Amino acid sequence: QVQLVQSGAEVKNPGASVRVSCKASGYIFTGYYMHWVRQAPGQGLEWMGWVNPNSGGTSYAHKFEGRVTMTRDTSITTAYLELTRLRSDDTAVYYCAREKGDGYNPTDYWGQGTLVIVSS
Amino acid sequence: DIVMTQSPDSLAASLGERATINCKSSQSVLYSSNNKNYLAWYQQKPGQPPKLLIYWASTRESGVPDRFSGSGSGTDFTLTISSLQAEDVAVYYCQQYYTTPFTFGPGTKVDIK
């Protein structure tokens, strides 16, 4: 069965960086894009971007360009999200989500979420 | 960016009643070459990740009860819960995946009256 297991919660100081991992299993990792979506406390969903696990190609929401990097390691079927120059308003639950295909499809499996708290 | 709006912000209905949520996109998400609407609906319960309910505006995801249905085309879409159940209490989001960024609507909270 498809599973996405994310790394644990993080507490970071403003200005620091965070890396969240998403371990995929139960399907062919390189066959499906991986998206990252975040949700601030009590707020809605915000799409951050995707990584193509096959090629490593990425597409980022403009808002995050310059601060976000999405990568993958196919040998261990894991996707990564790195966000730099953290601010207090980056405090959120970060989700990885598998796309139902390889571009321009909805997401059908989601990780459990990783809480990132940015606070001094 | 395509802006997604939803109405109402929240609704409360009795068990067994119909619940309807509307979603509007700031530009069409209908791709003319394949006649598909690039619009999905998700359900999110407290403390859980979102769950895909509907995609291509009206295709129900495997395992989703048939009381959930989607309709609409172009810029105006609707999610209908034909007979509201206690387990349907959640926040519902629409999302367009026509063009990046894949924007979400602000969500509609559904409760039992």
Side-chain angles (χ1 to χ4, degrees), chain A residues 8-27:
Chain A
E10 303 261 13
V11 180
K12 295 291 183 181
N13 289 323
S17 300
V18 69
R19 190 174 84 154
V20 178
S21 67
C22 172
K23 167 70 175 176
S25 61
Y27 70 98

Side-chain angles (χ1 to χ4, degrees), chain A residues 49-87:
Chain A
W50 77 34
V51 58
N52 176 345
N54 188 39
S55 68
T58 55
S59 176
Y60 303 141
H62 315 299
K63 167 177 183 175
F64 301 103
E65 281 184 7
R67 287 207 301 141
V68 71
T69 305
M70 296 176 190
T71 58
R72 90 288 186 230
D73 185 335
T74 57
S75 68
I76 55 172
T77 64
T78 299
Y80 300 95
L81 167 73
E82 182 176 25
L83 191 61
T84 62
R85 303 194 305 274
L86 289 169
R87 308 185 293 252

Side-chain angles (χ1 to χ4, degrees), chain B residues 57-80:
Chain B
S58 61
T59 301
R60 200 177 301 115
E61 175 70 336
S62 176
V64 172
D66 61 7
R67 63 180 180 274
F68 291 93
S69 64
S71 63
S73 185
T75 61
D76 292 278
F77 301 91
T78 300
L79 175 70
T80 301

Side-chain angles (χ1 to χ4, degrees), chain B residues 100-112:
Chain B
T100 59
F102 288 178
T103 42
F104 290 91
T108 294
K109 185 176 182 182
V110 173
D111 269 320
I112 304 296

Side-chain angles (χ1 to χ4, degrees), chain A residues 36-40 44-49 63-64, chain B residues 102 104:
Chain A
W36 290 91
V37 175
R38 77 177 186 179
Q39 186 169 38
L45 302 169
E46 183 173 31
W47 186 84
M48 299 180 70
K63 167 177 183 175
F64 301 103
Chain B
F102 288 178
F104 290 91

